[in-house]
Amino acid sequence: LVNRVVSRLIQAIRSTDGSFSSIERLGAGSYYEHVKISGPNEFDIMLVIPVARLQLDTSDDTGAYYYLTFKRNPKEKYLLKFLDEDGKLSAFKMLEALREIIKREVKNIKDVEVTVKRKKAASPAITLQIKNPPAEISVDIILTLEVQQSWPPSTQDGLKIEQWLGRKVRADFRNKPLYLVAKQNKREKVIRGNTWRLSFSHIEKAIIINHGSSKTCCEADGPKCCRKGCLKLLKYLVEQLKKKHTKELEKISSYHVKTTFFHSCVTWPNDTDWHLEDLDHCFQKYLGYFQCCLQKCQLPHFFIPQYNLLSLEDKATSNFLLRQINYELNNGFPIFWE
């Protein structure tokens, strides 16, 4: 159902506006990493526009958010209409144009009931609701630029996977194109909507799918590990706690869980550290690592180590989540049985 709707939209987007004629789709997020928990009711689809070269200027000290400008005479003349008055490529303008095309096309889809949800402030996604009785499916469409150039300096010391997946794999990953998503930087002094955030979802997906230090880990005839099992358990725990305490935990996302997972895999790099039959022990280890991060309010972005995903201004959120997790841990995880 999702594929049918998205394929139609992509066709319409390509043919309506020259600026988006080269758009490609890429499935990202938990469904495509095969770590989706509960039902398949949420999908992230990246719509990728290839760009040859851009100049990246940091917009704050995280090393994650950038202003983009074109080098001399860009090949992508069709994107020039999205520049703001300072000559920066405006994420806001591009998203608006894309949203308009999607809203128009959705009206022409007769065989499925699809609506475009109202815009959420600072969200990089255009969200579709697809009626699929008895439930609804939500599809986040994320506008992404794929830039063929080397990763910026802030990523130099990230992706510390040498001991786990090997030096060669790290080098291969760092040769992949750079992805930037249209994402508002809340720290900007004057909010203009022209910032872009680095995205590594294509690499994250590859890591989760080939997660073993030995190449055969979790293959049909290879040894099985419990890495993904642990990730799903912690995702489920946090998701259930978020449902219960929506307001208190609105700043916590599954990305915190995923980042902690990558750090845990680096801390315990061998497949023997994650024997399938040791799931309970491994989960406690991974959960303990997450508790430490919450306690210290310190969770470095896996690819951009200077960027702390649990900053001190969110200390109250971290403490709240830590208390909830401790309660669950000490009482045999009642939330798993509800």
Side-chain angles (χ1 to χ4, degrees):
L1 192 61
V2 170
N3 287 339
R4 209 165 74 212
V5 170
V6 172
S7 301
R8 261 204 71 167
L9 291 178
I10 289 177
Q11 219 176 344
I13 293 164
R14 281 186 189 145
S15 58
T16 314
D17 188 316
S19 326
F20 298 121
S21 58
S22 55
I23 216 157
E24 290 293 336
R25 86 175 262 182
L26 179 79
S30 59
Y31 180 80
Y32 297 97
E33 290 160 352
H34 308 299
V35 288
K36 182 82 186 92
I37 46 175
S38 315
N41 56 350
E42 287 179 359
F43 295 82
D44 295 330
I45 308 272
M46 296 174 100
L47 290 192
V48 182
I49 299 182
V51 180
R53 295 209 46 176
L54 286 166
Q55 183 180 318
L56 274 61
D57 296 301
T58 52
S59 85
D60 65 6
D61 55 2
T62 61
Y65 289 91
Y66 292 86
Y67 298 117
L68 305 182
T69 44
F70 282 107
K71 308 260 168 135
R72 286 191 310 279
N73 301 326
K75 288 203 205 73
E76 298 81 14
K77 296 272 186 283
Y78 49 84
L79 293 180
L80 296 178
K81 64 177 179 197
F82 298 122
L83 299 182
D84 66 9
E85 56 279 10
D86 305 331
K88 296 190 183 86
L89 186 58
S90 165
F92 175 76
K93 283 185 176 179
M94 281 187 79
L95 265 180
E96 280 301 278
L98 188 59
R99 175 181 272 281
E100 283 313 304
I101 300 172
I102 290 175
K103 272 165 67 174
R104 234 184 8 246
E105 184 55 29
V106 155
K107 294 196 175 90
N108 301 329
I109 299 180
K110 297 286 183 265
D111 51 342
V112 191
E113 204 176 316
V114 190
T115 47
V116 179
K117 283 186 75 167
R118 285 204 34 208
K119 198 161 93 196
K120 283 210 292 278
S123 163
I126 298 167
T127 306
L128 307 176
Q129 288 288 125
I130 301 178
K131 269 258 175 22
N132 182 32
E136 290 213 330
I137 299 173
S138 105
V139 181
D140 277 353
I141 292 182
I142 298 146
L143 176 64
T144 311
L145 304 177
E146 178 184 85
V147 193
Q148 301 293 338
Q149 66 192 45
S150 51
W151 295 10
S154 64
T155 64
Q156 198 54 54
D157 299 324
L159 191 58
K160 280 269 161 266
I161 56 172
E162 292 89 341
Q163 303 300 313
W164 166 31
L165 300 173
R167 207 159 290 225
K168 186 181 169 303
V169 174
R170 183 179 191 268
D172 288 348
F173 282 150
R174 288 187 56 89
N175 281 329
K176 297 239 185 290
L178 195 59
Y179 278 44
L180 292 140
V181 295
K183 173 80 173 123
Q184 182 62 66
N185 182 1
K186 297 194 197 69
R187 299 185 186 193
E188 236 188 335
K189 297 196 180 43
V190 185
I191 300 251
R192 277 243 191 70
N194 56 5
T195 52
W196 297 78
R197 193 189 63 202
L198 293 179
S199 162
F200 300 92
S201 35
H202 53 318
I203 312 287
E204 290 162 6
K205 183 169 151 185
I207 292 178
I208 287 176
I209 289 170
N210 297 307
H211 53 258
S213 50
S214 80
K215 292 290 161 264
T216 55
C217 183
C218 289
E219 283 186 358
D221 44 2
K224 306 279 185 279
C225 80
C226 66
R227 286 183 182 92
K228 277 185 169 181
C230 289
L231 173 58
K232 286 182 179 182
L233 276 174
L234 189 50
K235 274 185 63 160
Y236 186 67
L237 177 62
V238 170
E239 199 172 279
Q240 295 308 103
L241 288 171
K242 271 179 70 85
K243 277 184 190 159
K244 263 193 168 165
H245 310 283
T246 314
K247 197 165 178 344
E248 293 86 348
L249 295 177
E250 67 178 350
K251 287 182 171 156
I252 297 290
S253 73
S254 62
Y255 198 70
H256 291 104
V257 174
K258 187 158 122 179
T259 301
T260 311
F261 172 73
F262 291 142
H263 286 303
S264 299
C265 289
V266 165
T267 309
W268 299 287
N270 303 315
D271 295 345
T272 47
D273 299 322
W274 300 88
H275 276 312
L276 189 58
E277 53 277 13
D278 297 340
L279 175 72
D280 54 349
H281 169 67
C282 295
F283 176 64
Q284 302 266 359
K285 242 178 8 178
Y286 166 38
L287 183 63
Y289 191 101
F290 189 45
Q291 290 171 293
C292 264
C293 295
L294 290 169
Q295 206 159 0
K296 295 191 292 216
C297 271
Q298 195 64 42
L299 176 60
H301 191 289
F302 192 62
F303 297 83
I304 311 168
Q306 70 194 59
Y307 180 19
N308 180 14
L309 298 175
L310 288 173
S311 57
L312 278 168
E313 62 241 37
D314 302 330
K315 192 162 178 50
T317 305
S318 295
N319 287 343
F320 184 87
L321 181 54
L322 189 57
R323 284 198 304 276
Q324 297 303 322
I325 288 176
N326 286 338
Y327 173 82
E328 292 297 325
L329 189 56
N330 298 330
N331 291 283
F333 297 103
I335 204 158
F336 283 162
W337 309 108
E338 279 169 17

